Amino acid sequence: MMRAKHSTGGRLDRLFDELQKETFDYFLHEANPNNGLILDKTRRGWPASIAAVGLALTAYPIGVERGFCKRAEAVQRTLNTLRFFAKSPQSQRPNATGYKGLFYHFLSMKTGERAWNCELSTVDSALLIAGMLIAAVYFHKNTPDEREIRELADSIYQAADWRWALGRKQTLSHGWKPTHGFLKPRWDGFSEALILYILGLGSPSHPLPIDCYEAWTADFEWKSIYGHDWLYAGPLFIHQLPHVWLDLAGIQDAVMRKRGSDYFQNSRIATMVQRQYAIENPRGFKEYGPECWGITASDGPGPAVRTIGGVRRRFYDYIARGAPFGPDDGTLAPWAVVSSLPFAPEIVIPSVEYMNDNLKLRVDNPYGFKATFNATFNGRTGKERPWVSKWHYGLNEGPIVIMIENYRTGMMRQLMRNCTHLVRGLRRAGFKGGWLG
């Protein structure tokens, strides 16, 4: 068992233990153990998400260290996953699993074939492969199974043709479809694609040229909000996801050196801005306040339009919500709060306790906190219960397990520092200082 780096006190330690275990169970139960695929959403007939698979692969080592599963079980699940992706069909056929070493966003849980006519996703392929590389570092024993994990992870990574994904342009495409070619949207401007570019730059077989990273950062948008100057993105997940796999505290690329900041500090500011926005509550939503915040890409109660308390409001379903410029319809995501724990524990811990103790968002719930809630949507009389999402999402569950661990022990940051591919990518992107020195 890993020793806690941050001692939070007996009751809070128990809360984190329970929250990690309950959330980790998603990857044990919402999975196909034969191929390692993880359900995107707990709705009947839903497909797997390759991003959720990458998060599961990252979470399994935590499960071993925390005693949530045996090492042998984690090895077998990881190995089954890697064997599936290593052997899965790669072609231009519309029902393949991938092409050019990258993979379709959604896959059939049973067969692993492309689902929903979805895109070959560059960023979701990166989240999947990042999880594979972390697994390869953790499973370091000289046994046949753990050697195979390391070999398969490396071969899958080297097969990914990041250069092809440029589509003859400077920045990476969001994806590709066999019937239409590359999607028009590009990964330019600040986003979760930081992990995508680091993996592409670090590739020993198909490395991105360095000017791709420069082109990506050229459209970064800086804003001054609530007294903070920071690199802006509205949804919290953008500020969180890269830190699941990358230790960005104290190291800087050219953009951050110029600003005298780093991406970890920027995520801390984003967390502070979200809380302050909830305190200001300019749109007058119920429950918003110093201990109740967390706006990100999430499920919601819409689509619907309602007049509540004399105010006509529009509500959305799944959408990338953001603060302070929206979209915002009163929907909050507890997972977005928990995933900010490493950045600003002094404001996150009271919020986690409030959502647990006051809002009871873990009651009668199999996988930790409920995904999202909206106290305004059903709050017409003040007596009705808040709207709460029926579903859980793999993309929500993983960051909770991992970012709690990053706060408590720094385990994932240490594993990442031992991943030569990720370190190479950071160096090629121009990161210097701190632990890279």
Side-chain angles (χ1 to χ4, degrees):
M1 184 76 68
M2 303 247 351
R3 236 179 125 178
K5 181 179 177 182
H6 292 279
S7 177
T8 50
R11 182 182 180 279
L12 193 55
D13 274 335
R14 286 193 297 274
L15 174 57
F16 283 154
D17 287 342
E18 292 169 1
L19 189 54
Q20 276 189 295
K21 173 62 171 65
E22 292 165 2
T23 308
F24 180 83
D25 281 350
Y26 185 95
F27 300 116
L28 297 183
H29 303 311
E30 306 300 338
N32 182 340
N34 297 318
N35 57 23
L37 294 180
I38 304 294
L39 199 63
D40 173 63
K41 173 182 176 179
T42 53
R43 186 170 185 170
R44 187 177 179 85
W46 221 251
S49 155
I50 60 170
V53 177
L55 289 163
L57 292 170
T58 309
Y60 291 149
I62 297 170
V64 174
E65 295 296 318
R66 289 282 168 190
F68 304 153
C69 67
K70 301 292 186 183
R71 188 181 185 96
E73 180 184 1
V75 166
Q76 195 58 58
R77 285 176 177 268
T78 301
L79 197 50
N80 288 350
T81 307
L82 292 172
R83 284 171 175 168
F84 165 74
F85 281 100
K87 296 176 182 177
S88 63
Q90 287 266 329
S91 74
Q92 296 188 57
R93 293 180 61 184
N95 64 342
T97 300
Y99 181 54
K100 292 289 185 178
L102 304 175
F103 300 95
Y104 286 102
H105 191 166
F106 299 107
L107 303 174
S108 163
M109 283 290 291
K110 184 176 180 180
T111 68
E113 295 179 343
R114 176 192 184 202
W116 288 348
N117 194 34
C118 68
E119 82 285 7
L120 189 84
S121 173
T122 50
V123 75
D124 291 283
S125 293
L127 304 186
L128 170 64
I129 292 172
M132 294 178 177
L133 295 180
I134 290 296
V137 175
Y138 178 77
F139 293 111
H140 57 81
K141 291 185 178 180
N142 189 27
T143 65
D145 284 349
E146 296 199 18
R147 282 199 304 272
E148 187 178 354
I149 286 173
R150 296 193 293 273
E151 291 165 0
L152 288 174
D154 190 69
S155 66
I156 293 169
Y157 176 47
Q158 295 212 37
D161 194 342
W162 310 103
R163 281 180 172 268
W164 168 81
L166 289 170
R168 299 182 180 180
K169 295 190 177 181
Q170 272 199 304
T171 53
L172 289 158
S173 170
H174 278 208
W176 175 90
K177 288 190 173 184
T179 52
H180 298 89
F182 288 106
L183 306 183
K184 287 184 179 179
R186 318 290 302 181
W187 289 112
D188 45 23
F190 182 54
S191 67
E192 70 275 22
L194 175 57
I195 181 65
L196 168 61
Y197 279 97
I198 296 304
L199 279 172
L201 288 164
S203 171
S205 51
H206 303 285
L208 292 174
I210 291 174
D211 62 5
C212 292
Y213 190 79
E214 296 169 353
W216 175 62
T217 61
D219 291 328
F220 279 10
E221 185 179 11
W222 294 80
K223 291 186 180 293
S224 181
I225 301 171
Y226 301 139
H228 298 287
D229 293 317
W230 59 301
L231 176 55
Y232 175 75
L236 265 179
F237 83 94
I238 289 175
H239 299 280
Q240 296 164 342
L241 269 185
H243 299 266
V244 167
W245 295 280
L246 299 173
D247 183 2
L248 297 168
I251 64 173
Q252 300 170 312
D253 61 5
V255 172
M256 286 297 177
R257 278 194 295 277
K258 183 178 179 181
R259 292 280 178 165
S261 184
D262 62 47
Y263 290 99
F264 186 92
Q265 178 64 20
N266 197 74
S267 294
R268 175 176 169 81
I269 293 172
T271 306
M272 297 291 189
V273 165
Q274 282 251 350
R275 178 176 181 267
Q276 187 60 39
Y277 171 79
I279 293 171
E280 303 274 338
N281 195 13
R283 293 175 173 86
F285 291 117
K286 289 187 66 176
E287 279 293 350
Y288 279 35
E291 294 176 335
C292 204
W293 46 276
I295 299 173
T296 193
S298 65
D299 192 14
V305 176
R306 284 187 177 182
T307 299
I308 300 174
V311 179
R312 186 172 175 83
R313 298 188 183 276
R314 182 176 298 278
F315 297 92
Y316 305 96
D317 50 10
Y318 200 101
I319 193 174
R321 295 167 171 83
F325 303 120
D328 176 23
D329 62 356
T331 301
L332 299 177
W335 75 273
V337 176
V338 182
S339 300
S340 291
L341 186 59
F343 310 124
E346 72 275 21
I347 66 171
V348 171
I349 289 172
S351 296
V352 172
E353 291 179 314
Y354 181 82
M355 290 180 176
N356 182 73
D357 300 341
N358 295 64
L359 300 182
K360 309 292 184 184
L361 291 173
R362 286 173 55 226
V363 174
D364 299 325
N365 211 44
Y367 303 126
F369 280 130
K370 292 175 170 62
T372 49
F373 71 98
N374 190 314
T376 302
F377 187 76
N378 283 337
R380 297 176 183 177
T381 66
K383 297 179 181 179
E384 297 179 56
R385 296 183 65 184
W387 172 89
V388 177
S389 175
K390 299 177 181 178
W391 320 115
H392 287 279
Y393 296 79
L395 193 60
N396 301 358
E397 306 294 334
I400 292 177
V401 178
I402 297 160
M403 297 300 259
I404 288 177
E405 197 62 42
N406 268 340
Y407 169 71
R408 298 179 90 180
T409 68
M411 173 185 172
M412 306 316 297
R413 293 195 296 269
Q414 291 301 319
L415 288 177
M416 175 263 146
R417 293 183 186 187
N418 290 319
C419 180
T420 57
H421 298 310
L422 289 174
V423 172
R424 184 189 310 115
L426 288 169
R427 292 190 185 281
R428 290 198 70 228
F431 281 87
K432 298 177 183 178
W435 62 268
L436 272 176

